[in-house]
Amino acid sequence: MREGSKFVRETLAVLTENAVDYKIPELTGERVTPHSHLFDLSHMTVSAKAPIVIVGAGYVGLVTGVGFARAREVRLVDRNARLIEDLDAGRMPISEPELEERFNDNRDRLSFFTDLESALADQRPQLVFIAVGTPKRAAGGRRQEGEGDAANLSAVHSVVDELLLHDGVAVVMKSTVPPGTGRAILERAEARGRDLPYLSCPEFLQEGAAFATFDSPDRIVVGHSGHSWASDALRELHADVHPWLQGEHSDERYMEMELIEAECVKHTSNLALAIRITLANEIGNFCEESAADATQVMKGVGADRRIGPSFLKPGVGFGGSCFDKDIRAVRAVARADAGLDLSLVDTVISTNEGQVERVVEKLERRLGALEGTNIAILGLAFKPKTDDLRGGPAFTLATRLRRRGANLRAWDPEPGARERAARNHREGAEPETMSTAELARSALEAVAEADAVVLATEWEQFGEIDWCEAAQAMRGTLVIDGRNHLDPEAVRAAGLEYEGTGRESRGLLRPLPEGATES
Ligand code: NAD
């Protein structure tokens, strides 16, 4: 389109917008997208394109919303009024690199709501993303084995039910839902006489690098329900932020498939990553007993191009809100729907839980009974560069140490993580609370008078600890590096004993001191 054709451009913008407003696709079944492929509208203003709605403004919803706000008007909905109030006031509810800057850059295209109805009030939104939580079903009552592992989809269903009252919207499922959920939702819609345009678009963001994952995804996976206008609109939205989608071979990264296949991709990816960590941990445990260093072993293994180096580090176990929950959910679905036993999942879960237990064992083997000992825990977030505490091994460790009567003091360099831990503690939001653990104001304060220090998160800042100063402040000498993140020589040079993970473990090879209990 040549310069000066403002009138034509504006008219087209109005026409294409109206196609959405008047729900033409619903009435005619024709393919209508906010742009026409016949005209180059690339310089059309973003406000002229259909807004999107995202329900759930947590880690996934907020990052997705801020990411797409570069190209579209985005309406974020969350039932948590405090969170919406914070966002409206420009206060970031989570800590994520680049978030605040990108939020501010796109502030005029972001709006916030506590109810879906208001976000849909002008009937313009075409794509409604669901990014609400899908936690494990709460344990309790008399349940069959593994039943509590199934995903709790109540939030997802309540949003879908509300959307069924609206015409002209397509649901895009970002929340991680077990394979078969999309199909069940379509059946639910059909039972109410609705032909719901529904897409599965699983999220693969990595907290701590969420915008890097958003900007440069390894792949975008989309599962369809057969409404091509909805698929086209979603592809178009992605193309607005990913120019590579306009180019050749884009289908290699933008993968369209059946609904259930897309759902399976998400769970299988999480399982694959968890299996790699399990491999590193199991080989690491063998190395500890064999005076070998698993970091060397895994370096050799990962150099094989068929295998690759990522997710092959032994450690205190994976945490986070996804891996454990999602692999349990897929195991539960496989059992319930197909009578299959995903025994791999059992191994992954038990090895992971065992990693924290090994730290407790190491402590006991060195210190004897832990009753009355002082243990410092460095790192609360489940991984660096986030304030997300969910599923963090630090908390599993704290719970087990507390049961044995140890006094705990913890520190995390991320203020948001410390605030969350303190708030969870105040509000009794187990398990991500340090409960009786004292939250220190610095790493040095955490290690003061400690008999042992355990590093649970590989924050860069822990590499800068002055171990000579730490040694002077400590009561004991043991440093357990649950992430192989510290420089063993620097720790040893300060007169301390360094104990890594998956490396020769002198502690474990020694007999148990008197009074220690086998776990
Ligand atoms: P989160 O807990 O940070 O955010 C979920 C938000 O949804 C909360 O703010 C909550 O208040 C809101 N919510 C719940 N029910 C609602 C309702 N009925 N209406 C409106 N808002 C509602 O969770 P998250 O980490 O963003 O994860 C969301 C989904 O994405 C989950 O299914 C998760 O498994 C999946 N996922 C998460 C990640 C991640 O790294 N966090 C990565 C990939 C996939």
Side-chain angles (χ1 to χ4, degrees):
M1 194 179 296
R2 284 198 319 270
E3 285 295 319
S5 52
K6 189 164 172 276
F7 171 77
V8 177
R9 203 162 67 231
E10 284 176 354
T11 308
L12 274 170
V14 169
L15 282 174
T16 48
E17 260 189 87
N18 283 349
V20 174
D21 282 346
Y22 295 121
K23 304 174 196 67
I24 290 169
E26 299 308 299
L27 298 175
T28 64
E30 279 174 23
R31 184 180 127 160
V32 177
T33 59
H35 297 163
S36 160
H37 294 295
L38 297 175
F39 301 94
D40 170 17
L41 299 182
S42 54
H43 48 312
M44 200 164 86
T45 59
V46 286
S47 60
K49 297 179 182 176
I52 60 166
V53 170
I54 300 180
V55 190
Y59 285 88
V60 168
L62 183 55
V63 168
T64 307
V66 170
F68 281 129
R70 202 167 69 204
R72 293 291 173 95
E73 182 198 330
V74 176
R75 302 171 184 179
L76 277 157
V77 182
D78 203 292
R79 65 176 177 192
N80 180 343
R82 187 172 69 184
L83 185 143
I84 289 299
E85 206 180 290
D86 281 347
L87 287 171
D88 214 18
R91 291 187 295 270
M92 295 304 102
I94 58 169
S95 161
E96 178 62 42
E98 294 181 50
L99 174 63
E100 189 158 11
E101 190 188 328
R102 290 176 64 148
F103 180 97
N104 290 334
D105 287 350
N106 297 296
R107 180 67 185 89
D108 56 341
R109 283 187 293 280
L110 287 161
S111 51
F112 308 99
F113 303 83
T114 48
D115 68 301
L116 185 53
E117 209 53 46
S118 310
L120 294 172
D122 67 1
Q123 307 204 338
R124 284 180 65 222
Q126 190 185 33
L127 298 176
V128 179
F129 287 72
I130 297 184
V132 299
T134 49
K136 260 190 296 191
R137 249 181 232 171
R142 286 168 69 85
R143 289 180 183 277
Q144 304 236 318
E145 199 205 335
E147 211 187 331
D149 289 344
N152 177 347
L153 300 178
S154 58
V156 162
H157 285 308
S158 78
V159 178
V160 172
D161 286 351
E162 217 179 321
L163 286 171
L164 285 177
L165 304 173
H166 294 265
D167 286 331
V169 294
V171 174
V172 184
M173 188 59 71
K174 275 261 143 219
S175 295
T176 303
V177 294
T181 304
R183 195 180 289 162
I185 286 177
L186 290 177
E187 284 167 6
R188 201 177 161 107
E190 208 179 311
R192 290 171 199 199
R194 289 293 317 277
D195 179 21
L196 181 72
Y198 180 93
L199 300 162
S200 161
C201 184
E203 180 57 56
F204 301 101
L205 77 75
Q206 296 164 35
E207 287 178 22
F211 283 101
T213 341
F214 181 91
D215 290 342
S216 189
D218 290 334
R219 77 302 208 189
I220 295 168
V221 172
V222 176
H224 295 274
S225 63
H227 294 80
S228 58
W229 72 264
S231 313
D232 289 347
L234 185 61
R235 194 183 172 108
E236 189 111 25
L237 172 69
H238 280 110
D240 281 351
V241 290
H242 302 304
W244 53 265
L245 251 171
Q246 326 263 3
E248 270 181 59
H249 308 301
S250 63
D251 287 347
E252 285 164 20
R253 268 170 93 190
Y254 195 90
M255 301 173 176
E256 299 183 85
M257 56 186 77
E258 295 295 323
L259 271 186
I260 194 163
E261 290 163 355
E263 292 165 343
C264 276
V265 169
K266 175 63 195 170
H267 285 80
T268 311
S269 300
N270 277 356
L271 182 56
L273 295 171
I275 286 171
R276 291 175 70 94
I277 297 171
T278 305
L279 173 70
N281 283 335
E282 294 219 327
I283 296 301
N285 295 342
F286 168 72
C287 287
E288 283 189 358
E289 305 295 341
S290 317
D293 184 340
T295 56
Q296 290 300 329
V297 175
M298 288 306 167
K299 207 161 132 189
V301 172
D304 186 323
R305 260 181 293 176
R306 294 168 305 175
I307 300 171
S310 60
F311 283 76
L312 285 181
K313 288 186 184 151
V316 66
F318 58 75
S321 63
C322 294
F323 281 7
D324 182 76
K325 160 180 87 78
D326 295 343
I327 65 176
R328 283 176 190 270
V330 74
R331 180 181 61 178
V333 164
R335 257 185 210 153
D337 293 2
L340 288 172
D341 201 5
L342 293 189
S343 56
L344 264 174
V345 174
D346 299 338
T347 307
V348 170
I349 291 170
S350 71
T351 301
N352 202 50
E353 287 174 348
Q355 290 308 105
V356 169
E357 203 50 44
R358 281 181 82 85
V359 173
V360 177
E361 267 179 42
K362 286 177 182 176
L363 288 166
E364 287 194 324
R365 284 178 189 259
R366 279 302 170 85
L367 305 177
L370 297 179
E371 175 86 43
T373 55
N374 295 340
I375 314 285
I377 299 177
L378 297 182
L380 299 173
F382 84 94
K383 66 172 178 174
K385 296 189 184 167
T386 178
D387 59 349
D388 196 348
L389 309 178
R390 294 176 293 183
F395 296 94
T396 319
L397 179 65
T399 308
R400 293 190 191 174
L401 293 177
R402 218 163 44 230
R403 270 195 222 123
R404 287 164 167 83
N407 305 312
L408 307 174
R409 208 182 275 162
W411 190 69
D412 192 289
E414 165 58 48
R418 298 199 297 272
E419 270 165 41
R420 255 172 216 277
R423 191 170 65 225
N424 287 354
H425 179 40
R426 274 196 312 276
E427 296 172 2
E430 289 277 9
E432 284 93 18
T433 159
M434 278 318 217
S435 202
T436 54
E438 214 181 290
L439 282 173
R441 281 166 299 185
S442 67
L444 198 62
E445 190 180 285
V447 305
E449 292 302 313
D451 295 298
V453 174
V454 180
L455 182 138
T457 316
E458 64 274 37
W459 280 103
E460 213 177 288
Q461 290 90 324
F462 293 145
E464 291 155 16
I465 292 175
D466 179 338
W467 287 103
C468 290
E469 216 179 345
Q472 280 182 357
M474 284 173 68
R475 187 165 80 176
T477 54
L478 180 59
V479 177
I480 295 181
D481 186 353
R483 299 290 181 189
N484 294 330
H485 178 63
L486 303 172
D487 173 3
E489 291 320 312
V491 177
R492 288 189 186 122
L496 297 168
E497 296 173 273
Y498 174 88
E499 183 95 32
T501 305
R503 292 166 162 177
E504 179 187 355
S505 173
R506 275 154 283 189
L508 273 181
L509 295 172
R510 276 186 206 163
L512 275 175
E514 221 150 282
T517 52
E518 283 285 4
S519 306

